[in-house]
Amino acid sequence: MIYLVSFLCVAGFIVVHLFSRHVTFLHTIPRSKVLSVAGGVSIAYVFMHILPELHMYQDELHTSEFHLFGLGDYHVYLASLLGLSAFYGLERMAKGTIEKGKRGEDENPWVFRTHILSFFFYNFLIGYLLLRGENRDPTELFLYFFALSVHFVSNDHALRQTHKEEYDVYGRYLLAGAVAAGWLTGIFVEVSEHGVALLFSILAGTMILNVLKEELPEERESNFWAFGVGVLLYTILLYVI
């Protein structure tokens, strides 16, 4: 049962990546209210689901007396910080090459490749943790799918704004394939509980950055009320289900 439900989630993620470009009202500035709702759902997911799970994983590692490189009791938080910092560096690199393009300077093609590769890894983790994370029943998978689907809509919009036609020609297919590749890997490859904890922590850090960078900057002209609706929607859904 879990394989069938997770497969349907993967199919849904692929549809989001391939067809979000056709939702034309997402491409407007001021920021579409739908994107602000999506940001609110993603923020609620981070605080109501991601952070409690990080704490749970840290407790598990502490109980098992797991130590890596003598780092003590902060493995999941350090892994999250690493994921956030790495993605932030890549985002700054991508923004820098855009500014060069606006000034008429040559853009480095490796910036697009590296940026998409980082999101490929991000989506791969999401696909892998569909099966190997803490999503043990269809309800948990639904909550995971719902929050990350709207998160993918925001990510696609941001990447399309950054890389223009390159993202539609190459990027969206690679990211759709990354989720499927992660899910397939999850069927055949099982890492230890410690490994899952660290992978989830990296995913958590990168997701926190991706959510905040899309919703909070002033130039996004986000809609606070739509954002609040998204927060309320996911929080109520979490408690009802």
Short mmCIF file of all heavy atoms in Angstrom, two decimals, residues 80-143:
data_model
loop_
_atom_site.label_atom_id
_atom_site.label_comp_id
_atom_site.label_asym_id
_atom_site.label_seq_id
_atom_site.Cartn_x
_atom_site.Cartn_y
_atom_site.Cartn_z
N SER A 80 21.61 20.57 9.10
CA SER A 80 20.65 21.55 8.59
C SER A 80 21.35 22.85 8.23
O SER A 80 21.07 23.46 7.20
CB SER A 80 19.56 21.81 9.63
OG SER A 80 18.81 20.67 9.88
N LEU A 81 22.25 23.28 9.11
CA LEU A 81 23.00 24.51 8.85
C LEU A 81 23.87 24.37 7.60
O LEU A 81 23.97 25.29 6.80
CB LEU A 81 23.87 24.84 10.06
CG LEU A 81 24.74 26.10 9.97
CD1 LEU A 81 23.87 27.34 9.77
CD2 LEU A 81 25.60 26.24 11.22
N LEU A 82 24.45 23.20 7.42
CA LEU A 82 25.26 22.94 6.22
C LEU A 82 24.41 23.04 4.96
O LEU A 82 24.80 23.67 3.98
CB LEU A 82 25.90 21.56 6.32
CG LEU A 82 26.66 21.07 5.08
CD1 LEU A 82 27.87 21.96 4.82
CD2 LEU A 82 27.10 19.62 5.25
N GLY A 83 23.23 22.40 4.99
CA GLY A 83 22.34 22.46 3.82
C GLY A 83 21.90 23.88 3.52
O GLY A 83 21.92 24.31 2.36
N LEU A 84 21.52 24.61 4.55
CA LEU A 84 21.09 26.00 4.37
C LEU A 84 22.22 26.85 3.81
O LEU A 84 22.02 27.62 2.86
CB LEU A 84 20.59 26.55 5.70
CG LEU A 84 19.93 27.93 5.69
CD1 LEU A 84 18.91 28.04 6.81
CD2 LEU A 84 20.96 29.06 5.84
N SER A 85 23.42 26.72 4.37
CA SER A 85 24.55 27.54 3.95
C SER A 85 24.96 27.24 2.51
O SER A 85 25.26 28.16 1.74
CB SER A 85 25.74 27.32 4.89
OG SER A 85 25.41 27.65 6.22
N ALA A 86 24.98 25.95 2.16
CA ALA A 86 25.37 25.57 0.80
C ALA A 86 24.40 26.13 -0.23
O ALA A 86 24.80 26.69 -1.26
CB ALA A 86 25.46 24.05 0.70
N PHE A 87 23.11 26.02 0.06
CA PHE A 87 22.12 26.54 -0.89
C PHE A 87 22.15 28.05 -0.95
O PHE A 87 21.93 28.64 -2.01
CB PHE A 87 20.72 26.04 -0.50
CG PHE A 87 20.28 24.85 -1.30
CD1 PHE A 87 20.86 23.61 -1.07
CD2 PHE A 87 19.33 24.95 -2.29
CE1 PHE A 87 20.48 22.50 -1.79
CE2 PHE A 87 18.94 23.86 -3.03
CZ PHE A 87 19.51 22.61 -2.78
N TYR A 88 22.43 28.68 0.17
CA TYR A 88 22.52 30.15 0.16
C TYR A 88 23.68 30.59 -0.74
O TYR A 88 23.55 31.54 -1.51
CB TYR A 88 22.71 30.69 1.57
CG TYR A 88 22.83 32.19 1.61
CD1 TYR A 88 21.73 33.00 1.35
CD2 TYR A 88 24.06 32.80 1.88
CE1 TYR A 88 21.84 34.38 1.38
CE2 TYR A 88 24.18 34.19 1.90
CZ TYR A 88 23.07 34.97 1.65
OH TYR A 88 23.18 36.34 1.66
N GLY A 89 24.81 29.91 -0.64
CA GLY A 89 25.95 30.24 -1.50
C GLY A 89 25.62 30.08 -2.97
O GLY A 89 25.98 30.92 -3.80
N LEU A 90 24.90 29.01 -3.30
CA LEU A 90 24.52 28.78 -4.70
C LEU A 90 23.53 29.84 -5.18
O LEU A 90 23.59 30.28 -6.33
CB LEU A 90 23.91 27.38 -4.85
CG LEU A 90 24.90 26.23 -4.67
CD1 LEU A 90 24.16 24.91 -4.55
CD2 LEU A 90 25.87 26.18 -5.85
N GLU A 91 22.62 30.26 -4.31
CA GLU A 91 21.67 31.30 -4.67
C GLU A 91 22.38 32.61 -4.96
O GLU A 91 22.08 33.31 -5.92
CB GLU A 91 20.65 31.51 -3.54
CG GLU A 91 19.59 30.44 -3.45
CD GLU A 91 18.67 30.44 -4.67
OE1 GLU A 91 18.30 31.53 -5.14
OE2 GLU A 91 18.35 29.34 -5.13
N ARG A 92 23.36 32.95 -4.11
CA ARG A 92 24.10 34.20 -4.33
C ARG A 92 24.89 34.12 -5.62
O ARG A 92 25.01 35.11 -6.35
CB ARG A 92 25.05 34.46 -3.15
CG ARG A 92 24.37 34.71 -1.83
CD ARG A 92 23.25 35.73 -1.93
NE ARG A 92 23.71 36.98 -2.55
CZ ARG A 92 22.91 37.87 -3.11
NH1 ARG A 92 21.60 37.64 -3.16
NH2 ARG A 92 23.40 38.98 -3.62
N MET A 93 25.44 32.98 -5.93
CA MET A 93 26.18 32.81 -7.17
C MET A 93 25.26 33.00 -8.38
O MET A 93 25.60 33.66 -9.36
CB MET A 93 26.81 31.42 -7.22
CG MET A 93 27.67 31.15 -8.46
SD MET A 93 28.50 29.54 -8.35
CE MET A 93 27.08 28.42 -8.36
N ALA A 94 24.05 32.42 -8.30
CA ALA A 94 23.09 32.55 -9.39
C ALA A 94 22.66 34.01 -9.56
O ALA A 94 22.56 34.51 -10.69
CB ALA A 94 21.87 31.67 -9.13
N LYS A 95 22.38 34.68 -8.45
CA LYS A 95 21.98 36.09 -8.53
C LYS A 95 23.09 36.94 -9.12
O LYS A 95 22.85 37.89 -9.87
CB LYS A 95 21.60 36.61 -7.14
CG LYS A 95 20.40 35.93 -6.51
CD LYS A 95 19.14 36.12 -7.30
CE LYS A 95 17.95 35.48 -6.59
NZ LYS A 95 16.71 35.56 -7.39
N GLY A 96 24.34 36.59 -8.78
CA GLY A 96 25.48 37.35 -9.31
C GLY A 96 25.60 37.25 -10.81
O GLY A 96 25.88 38.25 -11.49
N THR A 97 25.35 36.06 -11.35
CA THR A 97 25.46 35.91 -12.80
C THR A 97 24.31 36.62 -13.52
O THR A 97 24.47 37.10 -14.64
CB THR A 97 25.51 34.42 -13.20
OG1 THR A 97 26.05 34.30 -14.51
CG2 THR A 97 24.15 33.76 -13.17
N ILE A 98 23.15 36.74 -12.86
CA ILE A 98 22.04 37.49 -13.45
C ILE A 98 22.40 38.97 -13.54
O ILE A 98 22.15 39.63 -14.55
CB ILE A 98 20.76 37.30 -12.61
CG1 ILE A 98 20.25 35.88 -12.75
CG2 ILE A 98 19.68 38.28 -13.03
CD1 ILE A 98 19.11 35.56 -11.82
N GLU A 99 23.00 39.48 -12.49
CA GLU A 99 23.41 40.89 -12.50
C GLU A 99 24.45 41.15 -13.59
O GLU A 99 24.43 42.19 -14.24
CB GLU A 99 23.97 41.28 -11.12
CG GLU A 99 22.93 41.29 -10.01
CD GLU A 99 21.78 42.24 -10.33
OE1 GLU A 99 22.04 43.36 -10.83
OE2 GLU A 99 20.63 41.87 -10.07
N LYS A 100 25.34 40.20 -13.80
CA LYS A 100 26.32 40.34 -14.88
C LYS A 100 25.62 40.40 -16.24
O LYS A 100 25.99 41.19 -17.12
CB LYS A 100 27.30 39.18 -14.87
CG LYS A 100 28.33 39.24 -13.74
CD LYS A 100 29.30 38.09 -13.86
CE LYS A 100 30.37 38.17 -12.76
NZ LYS A 100 31.33 37.03 -12.85
N GLY A 101 24.61 39.56 -16.41
CA GLY A 101 23.86 39.56 -17.67
C GLY A 101 23.17 40.88 -17.92
O GLY A 101 23.13 41.38 -19.04
N LYS A 102 22.63 41.49 -16.85
CA LYS A 102 21.96 42.78 -16.99
C LYS A 102 22.94 43.88 -17.38
O LYS A 102 22.58 44.86 -18.04
CB LYS A 102 21.26 43.15 -15.68
CG LYS A 102 20.03 42.28 -15.37
CD LYS A 102 19.42 42.69 -14.05
CE LYS A 102 18.18 41.84 -13.74
NZ LYS A 102 17.59 42.18 -12.43
N ARG A 103 24.21 43.71 -16.98
CA ARG A 103 25.23 44.71 -17.31
C ARG A 103 25.88 44.43 -18.65
O ARG A 103 26.81 45.12 -19.06
CB ARG A 103 26.31 44.73 -16.22
CG ARG A 103 25.81 45.19 -14.87
CD ARG A 103 26.99 45.53 -13.94
NE ARG A 103 27.85 44.38 -13.72
CZ ARG A 103 27.74 43.55 -12.67
NH1 ARG A 103 26.78 43.74 -11.77
NH2 ARG A 103 28.58 42.55 -12.52
N GLY A 104 25.39 43.39 -19.34
CA GLY A 104 25.94 43.07 -20.66
C GLY A 104 27.17 42.19 -20.62
O GLY A 104 27.79 41.94 -21.65
N GLU A 105 27.52 41.68 -19.44
CA GLU A 105 28.67 40.79 -19.35
C GLU A 105 28.24 39.36 -19.65
O GLU A 105 27.08 39.00 -19.54
CB GLU A 105 29.28 40.89 -17.94
CG GLU A 105 29.71 42.29 -17.55
CD GLU A 105 30.23 42.35 -16.12
OE1 GLU A 105 30.77 41.34 -15.65
OE2 GLU A 105 30.06 43.41 -15.48
N ASP A 106 29.21 38.53 -20.01
CA ASP A 106 28.93 37.14 -20.33
C ASP A 106 28.55 36.37 -19.07
O ASP A 106 29.21 36.49 -18.03
CB ASP A 106 30.15 36.47 -20.97
CG ASP A 106 30.44 37.01 -22.38
OD1 ASP A 106 29.49 37.53 -23.00
OD2 ASP A 106 31.61 36.93 -22.80
N GLU A 107 27.48 35.57 -19.19
CA GLU A 107 27.06 34.74 -18.08
C GLU A 107 27.81 33.42 -18.11
O GLU A 107 28.08 32.86 -19.17
CB GLU A 107 25.55 34.49 -18.14
CG GLU A 107 24.71 35.74 -17.98
CD GLU A 107 23.23 35.44 -17.95
OE1 GLU A 107 22.87 34.32 -17.56
OE2 GLU A 107 22.43 36.31 -18.33
N ASN A 108 28.15 32.91 -16.95
CA ASN A 108 28.84 31.63 -16.84
C ASN A 108 27.82 30.50 -16.93
O ASN A 108 26.95 30.37 -16.07
CB ASN A 108 29.58 31.56 -15.51
CG ASN A 108 30.45 30.32 -15.39
OD1 ASN A 108 30.31 29.37 -16.15
ND2 ASN A 108 31.35 30.34 -14.42
N PRO A 109 27.90 29.65 -17.98
CA PRO A 109 26.89 28.58 -18.13
C PRO A 109 26.94 27.58 -16.99
O PRO A 109 25.94 26.89 -16.73
CB PRO A 109 27.28 27.92 -19.46
CG PRO A 109 28.72 28.27 -19.66
CD PRO A 109 28.89 29.63 -19.06
N TRP A 110 28.07 27.50 -16.30
CA TRP A 110 28.17 26.54 -15.20
C TRP A 110 27.33 26.96 -14.00
O TRP A 110 27.02 26.13 -13.13
CB TRP A 110 29.63 26.35 -14.80
CG TRP A 110 30.36 25.46 -15.75
CD1 TRP A 110 31.21 25.83 -16.75
CD2 TRP A 110 30.24 24.03 -15.83
NE1 TRP A 110 31.65 24.73 -17.44
CE2 TRP A 110 31.07 23.61 -16.90
CE3 TRP A 110 29.53 23.08 -15.11
CZ2 TRP A 110 31.21 22.28 -17.25
CZ3 TRP A 110 29.66 21.74 -15.46
CH2 TRP A 110 30.49 21.35 -16.51
N VAL A 111 26.96 28.22 -13.93
CA VAL A 111 26.11 28.66 -12.83
C VAL A 111 24.75 27.97 -12.91
O VAL A 111 24.24 27.44 -11.92
CB VAL A 111 25.95 30.19 -12.83
CG1 VAL A 111 24.89 30.63 -11.83
CG2 VAL A 111 27.28 30.86 -12.51
N PHE A 112 24.16 27.97 -14.11
CA PHE A 112 22.88 27.29 -14.29
C PHE A 112 23.01 25.80 -13.97
O PHE A 112 22.17 25.23 -13.26
CB PHE A 112 22.38 27.47 -15.73
CG PHE A 112 21.21 26.59 -16.08
CD1 PHE A 112 19.95 26.87 -15.59
CD2 PHE A 112 21.37 25.48 -16.90
CE1 PHE A 112 18.86 26.05 -15.89
CE2 PHE A 112 20.30 24.67 -17.21
CZ PHE A 112 19.04 24.95 -16.71
N ARG A 113 24.07 25.18 -14.46
CA ARG A 113 24.25 23.74 -14.25
C ARG A 113 24.42 23.41 -12.77
O ARG A 113 23.82 22.45 -12.26
CB ARG A 113 25.46 23.25 -15.05
CG ARG A 113 25.28 23.40 -16.56
CD ARG A 113 26.60 23.22 -17.29
NE ARG A 113 26.46 23.61 -18.70
CZ ARG A 113 27.49 23.71 -19.54
NH1 ARG A 113 28.72 23.45 -19.11
NH2 ARG A 113 27.29 24.08 -20.78
N THR A 114 25.21 24.21 -12.08
CA THR A 114 25.44 23.96 -10.66
C THR A 114 24.17 24.22 -9.84
O THR A 114 23.84 23.46 -8.92
CB THR A 114 26.58 24.85 -10.14
OG1 THR A 114 27.75 24.64 -10.94
CG2 THR A 114 26.90 24.54 -8.69
N HIS A 115 23.45 25.28 -10.20
CA HIS A 115 22.22 25.62 -9.49
C HIS A 115 21.19 24.51 -9.66
O HIS A 115 20.56 24.06 -8.68
CB HIS A 115 21.68 26.94 -10.04
CG HIS A 115 20.76 27.64 -9.09
ND1 HIS A 115 19.81 28.55 -9.51
CD2 HIS A 115 20.61 27.58 -7.75
CE1 HIS A 115 19.15 29.00 -8.47
NE2 HIS A 115 19.61 28.44 -7.39
N ILE A 116 21.01 24.04 -10.88
CA ILE A 116 20.04 22.97 -11.14
C ILE A 116 20.50 21.67 -10.49
O ILE A 116 19.69 20.90 -9.97
CB ILE A 116 19.83 22.79 -12.66
CG1 ILE A 116 19.10 24.00 -13.23
CG2 ILE A 116 19.04 21.51 -12.94
CD1 ILE A 116 17.72 24.25 -12.64
N LEU A 117 21.81 21.41 -10.50
CA LEU A 117 22.32 20.20 -9.86
C LEU A 117 22.00 20.21 -8.36
O LEU A 117 21.65 19.17 -7.79
CB LEU A 117 23.83 20.10 -10.07
CG LEU A 117 24.51 18.86 -9.46
CD1 LEU A 117 23.95 17.59 -10.09
CD2 LEU A 117 26.02 18.93 -9.64
N SER A 118 22.10 21.37 -7.73
CA SER A 118 21.78 21.45 -6.30
C SER A 118 20.31 21.15 -6.06
O SER A 118 19.96 20.45 -5.09
CB SER A 118 22.16 22.83 -5.76
OG SER A 118 21.34 23.85 -6.32
N PHE A 119 19.43 21.66 -6.92
CA PHE A 119 18.01 21.36 -6.77
C PHE A 119 17.70 19.92 -7.16
O PHE A 119 16.74 19.33 -6.66
CB PHE A 119 17.17 22.34 -7.58
CG PHE A 119 16.85 23.60 -6.83
CD1 PHE A 119 17.68 24.72 -6.94
CD2 PHE A 119 15.75 23.68 -6.00
CE1 PHE A 119 17.40 25.88 -6.23
CE2 PHE A 119 15.47 24.82 -5.28
CZ PHE A 119 16.29 25.93 -5.39
N PHE A 120 18.51 19.35 -8.06
CA PHE A 120 18.36 17.92 -8.38
C PHE A 120 18.59 17.10 -7.12
O PHE A 120 17.82 16.19 -6.80
CB PHE A 120 19.35 17.53 -9.47
CG PHE A 120 19.22 16.11 -9.94
CD1 PHE A 120 18.45 15.80 -11.06
CD2 PHE A 120 19.85 15.07 -9.26
CE1 PHE A 120 18.31 14.47 -11.48
CE2 PHE A 120 19.72 13.75 -9.67
CZ PHE A 120 18.96 13.46 -10.78
N PHE A 121 19.67 17.41 -6.39
CA PHE A 121 19.96 16.70 -5.15
C PHE A 121 18.84 16.92 -4.13
O PHE A 121 18.42 15.98 -3.43
CB PHE A 121 21.30 17.20 -4.59
CG PHE A 121 21.65 16.62 -3.25
CD1 PHE A 121 21.97 15.28 -3.11
CD2 PHE A 121 21.65 17.43 -2.11
CE1 PHE A 121 22.28 14.75 -1.86
CE2 PHE A 121 21.97 16.91 -0.87
CZ PHE A 121 22.29 15.56 -0.74
N TYR A 122 18.34 18.14 -4.05
CA TYR A 122 17.25 18.48 -3.14
C TYR A 122 16.01 17.64 -3.45
O TYR A 122 15.41 17.01 -2.56
CB TYR A 122 16.96 19.97 -3.32
CG TYR A 122 15.87 20.57 -2.47
CD1 TYR A 122 15.95 20.60 -1.09
CD2 TYR A 122 14.75 21.17 -3.06
CE1 TYR A 122 14.97 21.18 -0.31
CE2 TYR A 122 13.76 21.76 -2.30
CZ TYR A 122 13.88 21.76 -0.93
OH TYR A 122 12.90 22.34 -0.17
N ASN A 123 15.61 17.59 -4.72
CA ASN A 123 14.45 16.81 -5.10
C ASN A 123 14.69 15.31 -4.95
O ASN A 123 13.77 14.55 -4.63
CB ASN A 123 14.06 17.12 -6.55
CG ASN A 123 13.29 18.42 -6.68
OD1 ASN A 123 13.36 19.27 -5.81
ND2 ASN A 123 12.56 18.58 -7.77
N PHE A 124 15.92 14.89 -5.19
CA PHE A 124 16.27 13.48 -5.00
C PHE A 124 16.04 13.08 -3.54
O PHE A 124 15.46 12.02 -3.27
CB PHE A 124 17.73 13.25 -5.39
CG PHE A 124 18.19 11.82 -5.27
CD1 PHE A 124 18.08 10.96 -6.35
CD2 PHE A 124 18.72 11.34 -4.08
CE1 PHE A 124 18.50 9.64 -6.24
CE2 PHE A 124 19.13 10.03 -3.96
CZ PHE A 124 19.03 9.16 -5.05
N LEU A 125 16.46 13.92 -2.61
CA LEU A 125 16.23 13.64 -1.20
C LEU A 125 14.74 13.56 -0.88
O LEU A 125 14.30 12.69 -0.12
CB LEU A 125 16.88 14.73 -0.34
CG LEU A 125 18.38 14.66 -0.10
CD1 LEU A 125 18.81 15.80 0.82
CD2 LEU A 125 18.79 13.32 0.49
N ILE A 126 13.97 14.47 -1.45
CA ILE A 126 12.52 14.47 -1.22
C ILE A 126 11.91 13.16 -1.70
O ILE A 126 11.08 12.54 -1.02
CB ILE A 126 11.87 15.68 -1.90
CG1 ILE A 126 12.24 16.96 -1.13
CG2 ILE A 126 10.35 15.53 -1.97
CD1 ILE A 126 11.84 18.24 -1.82
N GLY A 127 12.32 12.70 -2.89
CA GLY A 127 11.82 11.44 -3.41
C GLY A 127 12.26 10.25 -2.57
O GLY A 127 11.46 9.34 -2.29
N TYR A 128 13.51 10.26 -2.14
CA TYR A 128 14.03 9.15 -1.34
C TYR A 128 13.30 9.06 0.00
O TYR A 128 12.94 7.96 0.45
CB TYR A 128 15.53 9.33 -1.11
CG TYR A 128 16.15 8.20 -0.32
CD1 TYR A 128 16.49 7.00 -0.95
CD2 TYR A 128 16.37 8.32 1.05
CE1 TYR A 128 17.05 5.95 -0.23
CE2 TYR A 128 16.92 7.28 1.78
CZ TYR A 128 17.26 6.09 1.14
OH TYR A 128 17.80 5.05 1.86
N LEU A 129 13.09 10.20 0.65
CA LEU A 129 12.47 10.20 1.97
C LEU A 129 10.97 9.93 1.93
O LEU A 129 10.36 9.73 2.99
CB LEU A 129 12.76 11.53 2.68
CG LEU A 129 14.23 11.72 3.07
CD1 LEU A 129 14.47 13.13 3.60
CD2 LEU A 129 14.68 10.69 4.09
N LEU A 130 10.38 9.91 0.73
CA LEU A 130 9.00 9.45 0.63
C LEU A 130 8.86 8.04 1.20
O LEU A 130 7.88 7.72 1.87
CB LEU A 130 8.56 9.44 -0.84
CG LEU A 130 7.80 10.64 -1.37
CD1 LEU A 130 7.63 10.54 -2.88
CD2 LEU A 130 6.44 10.78 -0.70
N LEU A 131 9.85 7.19 0.91
CA LEU A 131 9.80 5.81 1.38
C LEU A 131 10.63 5.58 2.63
O LEU A 131 10.28 4.77 3.47
CB LEU A 131 10.30 4.87 0.27
CG LEU A 131 9.34 4.60 -0.88
CD1 LEU A 131 10.02 3.73 -1.93
CD2 LEU A 131 8.07 3.94 -0.39
N ARG A 132 11.74 6.27 2.75
CA ARG A 132 12.69 5.97 3.82
C ARG A 132 12.64 6.97 4.98
O ARG A 132 13.43 6.85 5.91
CB ARG A 132 14.11 5.90 3.26
CG ARG A 132 14.30 4.81 2.22
CD ARG A 132 13.94 3.45 2.76
NE ARG A 132 14.11 2.40 1.76
CZ ARG A 132 13.81 1.12 1.96
NH1 ARG A 132 13.30 0.75 3.13
NH2 ARG A 132 13.99 0.23 1.00
N GLY A 133 11.75 7.94 4.90
CA GLY A 133 11.61 8.88 5.99
C GLY A 133 10.63 8.37 7.04
O GLY A 133 10.40 7.17 7.18
N GLU A 134 10.01 9.31 7.74
CA GLU A 134 9.08 8.94 8.80
C GLU A 134 7.63 8.87 8.32
O GLU A 134 6.72 8.82 9.13
CB GLU A 134 9.18 9.96 9.95
CG GLU A 134 10.49 9.89 10.73
CD GLU A 134 10.66 8.55 11.43
OE1 GLU A 134 9.72 8.07 12.08
OE2 GLU A 134 11.76 7.98 11.30
N ASN A 135 7.43 8.88 7.01
CA ASN A 135 6.07 8.84 6.46
C ASN A 135 5.61 7.39 6.40
O ASN A 135 5.78 6.71 5.39
CB ASN A 135 6.04 9.47 5.06
CG ASN A 135 6.63 10.86 5.06
OD1 ASN A 135 6.18 11.73 5.78
ND2 ASN A 135 7.68 11.06 4.26
N ARG A 136 5.04 6.92 7.48
CA ARG A 136 4.73 5.50 7.63
C ARG A 136 3.33 5.11 7.17
O ARG A 136 3.01 3.92 7.07
CB ARG A 136 4.90 5.07 9.09
CG ARG A 136 6.27 5.36 9.68
CD ARG A 136 7.38 4.66 8.92
NE ARG A 136 8.66 4.83 9.60
CZ ARG A 136 9.83 4.52 9.06
NH1 ARG A 136 9.88 4.05 7.84
NH2 ARG A 136 10.95 4.70 9.74
N ASP A 137 2.45 6.06 6.95
CA ASP A 137 1.10 5.71 6.54
C ASP A 137 0.60 6.72 5.51
O ASP A 137 1.22 7.77 5.31
CB ASP A 137 0.16 5.65 7.76
CG ASP A 137 0.09 6.98 8.50
OD1 ASP A 137 -0.25 8.00 7.87
OD2 ASP A 137 0.38 6.99 9.71
N PRO A 138 -0.52 6.41 4.83
CA PRO A 138 -1.02 7.29 3.77
C PRO A 138 -1.31 8.72 4.22
O PRO A 138 -1.13 9.67 3.45
CB PRO A 138 -2.30 6.58 3.31
CG PRO A 138 -2.04 5.14 3.58
CD PRO A 138 -1.25 5.13 4.86
N THR A 139 -1.76 8.89 5.47
CA THR A 139 -2.05 10.24 5.96
C THR A 139 -0.79 11.09 6.02
O THR A 139 -0.78 12.24 5.58
CB THR A 139 -2.71 10.17 7.35
OG1 THR A 139 -3.93 9.44 7.27
CG2 THR A 139 -2.99 11.57 7.88
N GLU A 140 0.28 10.52 6.57
CA GLU A 140 1.54 11.26 6.64
C GLU A 140 2.08 11.55 5.25
O GLU A 140 2.64 12.63 5.00
CB GLU A 140 2.55 10.46 7.46
CG GLU A 140 2.21 10.38 8.94
CD GLU A 140 3.21 9.53 9.72
OE1 GLU A 140 3.95 8.75 9.08
OE2 GLU A 140 3.24 9.65 10.95
N LEU A 141 1.92 10.61 4.34
CA LEU A 141 2.36 10.83 2.96
C LEU A 141 1.57 11.95 2.31
O LEU A 141 2.12 12.76 1.55
CB LEU A 141 2.22 9.55 2.14
CG LEU A 141 3.32 8.51 2.31
CD1 LEU A 141 2.95 7.22 1.59
CD2 LEU A 141 4.65 9.04 1.80
N PHE A 142 0.27 12.01 2.60
CA PHE A 142 -0.55 13.09 2.04
C PHE A 142 -0.08 14.45 2.53
O PHE A 142 0.02 15.40 1.76
CB PHE A 142 -2.02 12.88 2.41
CG PHE A 142 -2.89 14.07 2.08
CD1 PHE A 142 -3.24 14.35 0.76
CD2 PHE A 142 -3.31 14.94 3.08
CE1 PHE A 142 -4.02 15.46 0.46
CE2 PHE A 142 -4.09 16.04 2.79
CZ PHE A 142 -4.44 16.31 1.47
N LEU A 143 0.19 14.57 3.83
CA LEU A 143 0.66 15.83 4.38
C LEU A 143 2.00 16.23 3.77
O LEU A 143 2.23 17.40 3.45
CB LEU A 143 0.79 15.73 5.91
CG LEU A 143 -0.53 15.60 6.69
CD1 LEU A 143 -0.25 15.27 8.15
CD2 LEU A 143 -1.36 16.87 6.57
#
